[in-house]
Amino acid sequence: FLPGPGPAMESRNMRSLARYLNDPHVVLHVIPTAWVHNLGPLAIPMFAAAAVASLALLAGSSETAWRAGGLVALIALGGYFFTPGTGAGPIGGPLRGVSWDTRFIAPGLCLGLALIPISLSERLGKRREWLALPMALLLLVPIAVSNSWSRSAALCASSVVIAAVGLAIVLNARRLSGALTARPRGVRFALIGAACITLLVGGRIYESAHLAGRDSLYNQSAAGIPPTKIGVIGIAGTFNQYLASDAGLQNQVQFIGVRGPNGSFRTAGTCWTLRSLINSGGYRYVIAAPNRNIWKRLTTPNRQVAWISGAGHVKLVKRIPGLKYNGQSNGTYAPARFLVYKVAGKLSLRSCPH
């Protein structure tokens, strides 16, 4: 009932999955297909187990903390179905939104999965150490068959899981607890120190690889030497906004358009309006991207691009890669490249076409 900004410029159908829960095709085919594709073949059992474990703790745990955890997990899992965008796509066909936004289920699903061994351990007592093996399968099977894991990442994660399972089987909970609390204190500190060093080294290796990958993308999409202020036009430039911000996030990147009430935003409808916005925005660079049909993954011509060229005090300095997997409406398979203009002064308003 709160006032909103109105429909989006690109993905106007930002429906939630709750709108389709009475559609058997969506419930029995579209949702399972998307979940299995993104989360692996155990997606449905994982979701069901997470929900059941959370409900069991909420209803029967003697610990207030676990009951609260079960409640939060159930609310998060249920809230996923009512989140805008989870059912986005052409009317009657929400497969795109379900596939792209499966990640919205991650908070509730992760918490629910973490509560599964908690729920079972309350019922198994001393035999709870053996839960490590079935719990590990919930991770190892998706890792083995999912396309979302690189080979090196899958090998690393699998090794950690297998090592943890082996440790849990060999050492029962009482012996492990005794080793951690053993005297002298040096033994305890040595174990904790070794664990911390292992985590730090592993984290540093992962961080370095991640930053190297980001740097290669940012260098391809760089508009200028940071820090600088960059304006973006064209709907296809949506995801390029983040890349244009520089690897260190030093650049200020804004879409150029007309702001309205309740957070609404629309593109400039005339050459005079666009050039005025560029002049008042203080931009050093402008990235001119085409528009896009998000569902067909096609870029379409953007008339605003022509309003920048020939405006005076602007110079084309670079063409950066367009969005991956997007073709062009003229039948060209390669994605359209984005033009980068350097702004050296005020753009002329008099030269706008009538």
Side-chain angles (χ1 to χ4, degrees), residues 330-348:
N330 60 8
T332 304
Y333 177 75
R337 300 177 73 83
F338 299 169
L339 307 178
V340 179
Y341 291 93
K342 185 175 183 179
V343 181
K346 298 292 185 181
L347 278 63
S348 171

Side-chain angles (χ1 to χ4, degrees), residues 188-346:
R188 182 171 54 195
F189 290 144
L191 289 172
I192 295 175
C196 291
I197 292 173
T198 301
L199 290 173
L200 287 172
V201 172
R204 180 58 181 168
I205 294 173
Y206 173 81
E207 181 187 31
S208 298
H210 182 66
L211 289 177
R214 284 182 56 188
D215 284 339
S216 66
L217 287 174
Y218 283 99
N219 289 335
Q220 292 179 14
S221 301
I225 300 175
T228 190
K229 189 174 183 180
I230 302 171
V232 181
I233 64 170
I235 295 176
T238 302
F239 294 101
N240 196 74
Q241 182 182 13
Y242 181 63
L243 292 175
S245 62
D246 172 65
L249 304 181
Q250 299 181 70
N251 293 336
Q252 181 182 358
V253 187
Q254 294 179 337
F255 269 81
I256 302 172
V258 180
R259 300 187 181 278
N262 303 320
S264 59
F265 181 88
R266 61 180 176 83
T267 56
T270 66
C271 169
W272 191 93
T273 302
L274 176 65
R275 292 185 182 181
S276 297
L277 289 169
I278 294 175
N279 290 339
S280 62
Y283 303 105
R284 294 294 306 278
Y285 295 88
V286 173
I287 298 177
N291 290 322
R292 181 174 67 148
N293 183 321
I294 188 173
W295 307 126
K296 294 183 179 180
R297 290 193 169 182
L298 292 175
T299 54
T300 58
N302 178 11
R303 59 177 180 167
Q304 290 182 313
V305 177
W307 295 342
I308 295 181
S309 59
H313 298 105
V314 293
K315 178 184 179 182
L316 178 63
V317 294
K318 192 175 183 180
R319 289 178 172 85
I320 60 178
L323 288 176
K324 203 174 181 181
Y325 306 123
N326 279 355
Q328 300 179 45
S329 57
N330 60 8
T332 304
Y333 177 75
R337 300 177 73 83
F338 299 169
L339 307 178
V340 179
Y341 291 93
K342 185 175 183 179
V343 181
K346 298 292 185 181

Side-chain angles (χ1 to χ4, degrees), residues 56-67 118 122-123:
L57 286 174
L58 175 62
S61 177
S62 59
E63 297 288 339
T64 302
W66 297 135
R67 292 201 302 272
I118 304 299
E122 290 195 349
R123 291 160 175 76

Side-chain angles (χ1 to χ4, degrees), residues 26-92:
V26 172
V27 174
L28 300 177
H29 177 71
V30 174
I31 294 177
T33 299
W35 285 4
V36 168
H37 175 75
N38 287 306
L39 301 174
L42 295 182
I44 305 301
M46 281 196 301
F47 182 90
V52 170
S54 302
L55 182 61
L57 286 174
L58 175 62
S61 177
S62 59
E63 297 288 339
T64 302
W66 297 135
R67 292 201 302 272
L71 177 62
V72 172
L74 289 173
I75 292 175
L77 288 170
Y80 160 77
F81 294 94
F82 295 89
T83 303
T86 51
I91 300 298

